[in-house]
Amino acid sequence: MKTLVVYYTKSGWTEKIAQEIGKLTKGELRKIVEIKSRNGILGFIRSGFEAVRGALSELRPMDFNLSNYDQVFLGTPVWAGSPTPAVNSFIAEADFKGKKVVLFLIMGGERYERPLSLLKEKIRAKGGKVAGSFAISSSRLSEEQLKEEVKRNLKIEGEI
Ligand SMILES: Cc1cc2nc3c(=O)[nH]c(=O)nc-3n(C[C@H](O)[C@H](O)[C@H](O)COP(=O)(O)O)c2cc1C
């Protein structure tokens, strides 16, 4: 089974988690990168507004084809109780037909139900099968604990 771990990150947490998933599942890692900057307080505010209304954002071209993978781990931070615009765009541009998708969400707080159900809906609308999901709160974890959390969740999902 060929596995892809694809993610968006702004401050690096989702990337750390993606790297750990990649290591444990022998998946290939790919980062979703936006064209526009989200720096500064204005960038932060704008990001929250965009996320909550389900906005899209222009992405840098990516050097892979989903059709080469059987299983896709897709990761996003939670912004304003929503998935990120970059991940919305990735899903909008992708064909998930026949793909098994495992979603992973990273948030500063504890709530992930709304972004998770929005993501499931979007993936299913693009033909994918959401086979599992997990969410990790970044704020209270050391790097070591974060790795343990990833391992624990992958075991629960039957992925390792
Ligand atoms: C614009 C913005 C909005 C956010 N909104 C939420 C939120 O609604 N709930 C939450 O738990 N965390 C929220 N966070 C915190 C991030 O989800 C958290 O810091 C996450 O670890 C960031 O992932 P990253 O380091 O991969 O970018 C927000 C962060 C940003 C930048």
Side-chain angles (χ1 to χ4, degrees), residues 90-108:
F90 176 76
I91 296 171
E93 291 168 20
D95 180 4
F96 284 98
K97 221 166 278 152
K99 303 293 168 211
K100 181 182 159 195
V101 181
V102 180
L103 296 165
F104 59 105
L105 287 78
I106 292 70
M107 62 280 172

Side-chain angles (χ1 to χ4, degrees), residues 9-14 44 47-48 77-81 106-110 138:
T9 188
K10 181 169 179 286
S11 54
W13 285 101
T14 312
F44 179 86
S47 298
V78 173
W79 284 0
I106 292 70
M107 62 280 172
E110 299 290 336
S138 59

Side-chain angles (χ1 to χ4, degrees), residues 2 10 13 32 35 49 72 74 121 127 133 150 157:
K2 212 167 165 210
K10 181 169 179 286
W13 285 101
I32 300 168
I35 306 269
F49 274 112
V72 182
L74 175 60
E121 224 171 85
S133 64
V150 174
E157 296 298 329

Side-chain angles (χ1 to χ4, degrees), residues 20-84:
E20 200 56 23
I21 296 172
K23 210 164 79 188
L24 294 170
T25 65
K26 300 187 172 59
E28 282 179 28
L29 284 179
R30 291 289 186 281
K31 182 165 28 189
I32 300 168
V33 182
E34 294 177 301
I35 306 269
K36 81 167 146 200
S37 147
R38 296 188 177 277
N39 291 338
I41 185 72
L42 276 181
F44 179 86
I45 294 167
R46 191 164 43 79
S47 298
F49 274 112
E50 286 180 15
V52 87
R53 66 180 171 81
L56 301 178
S57 106
E58 204 181 334
L59 305 180
R60 288 227 197 113
M62 298 187 80
D63 64 340
F64 68 92
N65 194 333
L66 265 192
S67 66
N68 294 332
Y69 302 90
D70 312 293
Q71 162 162 274
V72 182
F73 284 86
L74 175 60
T76 182
V78 173
W79 284 0
S82 314
T84 49

